[in-house]
PDB file of all heavy atoms in Angstrom:
ATOM      1  N   GLU S  67       0.056  25.353  16.063  1.00 86.00           N
ATOM      2  CA  GLU S  67      -0.044  25.216  17.516  1.00 86.00           C
ATOM      3  C   GLU S  67      -1.416  24.676  17.900  1.00 86.00           C
ATOM      4  O   GLU S  67      -2.348  25.412  18.173  1.00 86.00           O
ATOM      5  CB  GLU S  67       0.211  26.557  18.205  1.00 86.00           C
ATOM      6  CG  GLU S  67       1.620  27.094  18.000  1.00 86.00           C
ATOM      7  CD  GLU S  67       1.854  28.385  18.758  1.00 86.00           C
ATOM      8  OE1 GLU S  67       0.954  28.803  19.515  1.00 86.00           O
ATOM      9  OE2 GLU S  67       2.925  28.991  18.580  1.00 86.00           O
ATOM     10  N   SER S  68      -1.525  23.365  17.916  1.00 91.00           N
ATOM     11  CA  SER S  68      -2.764  22.715  18.338  1.00 91.00           C
ATOM     12  C   SER S  68      -2.411  21.365  18.933  1.00 91.00           C
ATOM     13  O   SER S  68      -1.360  20.797  18.640  1.00 91.00           O
ATOM     14  CB  SER S  68      -3.712  22.518  17.150  1.00 91.00           C
ATOM     15  OG  SER S  68      -3.204  21.548  16.248  1.00 91.00           O
ATOM     16  N   GLU S  69      -3.302  20.869  19.775  1.00 91.00           N
ATOM     17  CA  GLU S  69      -3.056  19.584  20.423  1.00 91.00           C
ATOM     18  C   GLU S  69      -2.997  18.460  19.396  1.00 91.00           C
ATOM     19  O   GLU S  69      -2.187  17.535  19.515  1.00 91.00           O
ATOM     20  CB  GLU S  69      -4.166  19.305  21.444  1.00 91.00           C
ATOM     21  CG  GLU S  69      -3.908  18.062  22.282  1.00 91.00           C
ATOM     22  CD  GLU S  69      -4.947  17.878  23.367  1.00 91.00           C
ATOM     23  OE1 GLU S  69      -5.666  18.850  23.692  1.00 91.00           O
ATOM     24  OE2 GLU S  69      -5.043  16.757  23.898  1.00 91.00           O
ATOM     25  N   GLU S  70      -3.844  18.547  18.374  1.00 93.00           N
ATOM     26  CA  GLU S  70      -3.870  17.518  17.334  1.00 93.00           C
ATOM     27  C   GLU S  70      -2.538  17.477  16.575  1.00 93.00           C
ATOM     28  O   GLU S  70      -1.980  16.399  16.334  1.00 93.00           O
ATOM     29  CB  GLU S  70      -5.013  17.789  16.356  1.00 93.00           C
ATOM     30  CG  GLU S  70      -5.125  16.738  15.253  1.00 93.00           C
ATOM     31  CD  GLU S  70      -6.267  17.034  14.296  1.00 93.00           C
ATOM     32  OE1 GLU S  70      -7.020  18.002  14.540  1.00 93.00           O
ATOM     33  OE2 GLU S  70      -6.407  16.297  13.298  1.00 93.00           O
ATOM     34  N   THR S  71      -2.038  18.665  16.216  1.00 93.00           N
ATOM     35  CA  THR S  71      -0.769  18.732  15.493  1.00 93.00           C
ATOM     36  C   THR S  71       0.374  18.233  16.355  1.00 93.00           C
ATOM     37  O   THR S  71       1.266  17.513  15.882  1.00 93.00           O
ATOM     38  CB  THR S  71      -0.481  20.173  15.036  1.00 93.00           C
ATOM     39  OG1 THR S  71      -1.511  20.596  14.140  1.00 93.00           O
ATOM     40  CG2 THR S  71       0.868  20.262  14.332  1.00 93.00           C
ATOM     41  N   GLN S  72       0.363  18.603  17.627  1.00 93.00           N
ATOM     42  CA  GLN S  72       1.410  18.157  18.546  1.00 93.00           C
ATOM     43  C   GLN S  72       1.442  16.630  18.635  1.00 93.00           C
ATOM     44  O   GLN S  72       2.517  16.018  18.649  1.00 93.00           O
ATOM     45  CB  GLN S  72       1.191  18.753  19.932  1.00 93.00           C
ATOM     46  CG  GLN S  72       2.349  18.494  20.897  1.00 93.00           C
ATOM     47  CD  GLN S  72       2.107  19.097  22.261  1.00 93.00           C
ATOM     48  OE1 GLN S  72       1.136  18.761  22.928  1.00 93.00           O
ATOM     49  NE2 GLN S  72       2.984  20.001  22.676  1.00 93.00           N
ATOM     50  N   THR S  73       0.268  16.012  18.659  1.00 94.00           N
ATOM     51  CA  THR S  73       0.187  14.553  18.702  1.00 94.00           C
ATOM     52  C   THR S  73       0.730  13.940  17.415  1.00 94.00           C
ATOM     53  O   THR S  73       1.470  12.950  17.442  1.00 94.00           O
ATOM     54  CB  THR S  73      -1.271  14.096  18.919  1.00 94.00           C
ATOM     55  OG1 THR S  73      -1.745  14.631  20.156  1.00 94.00           O
ATOM     56  CG2 THR S  73      -1.361  12.579  18.954  1.00 94.00           C
ATOM     57  N   GLU S  74       0.364  14.536  16.272  1.00 96.00           N
ATOM     58  CA  GLU S  74       0.858  14.043  14.984  1.00 96.00           C
ATOM     59  C   GLU S  74       2.382  14.117  14.912  1.00 96.00           C
ATOM     60  O   GLU S  74       3.041  13.180  14.457  1.00 96.00           O
ATOM     61  CB  GLU S  74       0.242  14.851  13.836  1.00 96.00           C
ATOM     62  CG  GLU S  74      -1.241  14.615  13.623  1.00 96.00           C
ATOM     63  CD  GLU S  74      -1.801  15.484  12.504  1.00 96.00           C
ATOM     64  OE1 GLU S  74      -0.999  16.170  11.835  1.00 96.00           O
ATOM     65  OE2 GLU S  74      -3.028  15.470  12.294  1.00 96.00           O
ATOM     66  N   VAL S  75       2.915  15.248  15.343  1.00 96.00           N
ATOM     67  CA  VAL S  75       4.369  15.441  15.331  1.00 96.00           C
ATOM     68  C   VAL S  75       5.053  14.424  16.237  1.00 96.00           C
ATOM     69  O   VAL S  75       6.061  13.804  15.867  1.00 96.00           O
ATOM     70  CB  VAL S  75       4.725  16.881  15.762  1.00 96.00           C
ATOM     71  CG1 VAL S  75       6.224  17.017  16.017  1.00 96.00           C
ATOM     72  CG2 VAL S  75       4.281  17.877  14.699  1.00 96.00           C
ATOM     73  N   GLU S  76       4.514  14.237  17.429  1.00 96.00           N
ATOM     74  CA  GLU S  76       5.113  13.299  18.383  1.00 96.00           C
ATOM     75  C   GLU S  76       5.099  11.874  17.845  1.00 96.00           C
ATOM     76  O   GLU S  76       6.097  11.150  17.941  1.00 96.00           O
ATOM     77  CB  GLU S  76       4.368  13.359  19.724  1.00 96.00           C
ATOM     78  CG  GLU S  76       5.004  12.483  20.793  1.00 96.00           C
ATOM     79  CD  GLU S  76       4.415  12.724  22.167  1.00 96.00           C
ATOM     80  OE1 GLU S  76       4.802  13.707  22.820  1.00 96.00           O
ATOM     81  OE2 GLU S  76       3.547  11.919  22.569  1.00 96.00           O
ATOM     82  N   LEU S  77       3.984  11.456  17.254  1.00 96.00           N
ATOM     83  CA  LEU S  77       3.884  10.105  16.702  1.00 96.00           C
ATOM     84  C   LEU S  77       4.847   9.893  15.542  1.00 96.00           C
ATOM     85  O   LEU S  77       5.451   8.826  15.404  1.00 96.00           O
ATOM     86  CB  LEU S  77       2.449   9.821  16.260  1.00 96.00           C
ATOM     87  CG  LEU S  77       1.426   9.627  17.376  1.00 96.00           C
ATOM     88  CD1 LEU S  77       0.019   9.517  16.808  1.00 96.00           C
ATOM     89  CD2 LEU S  77       1.753   8.374  18.189  1.00 96.00           C
TER      90      LEU S  77
END
Side-chain angles (χ1 to χ4, degrees):
E67 296 183 5
S68 69
E69 187 175 343
E70 181 180 355
T71 298
Q72 188 180 60
T73 300
E74 290 178 6
V75 169
E76 184 170 280
L77 288 173

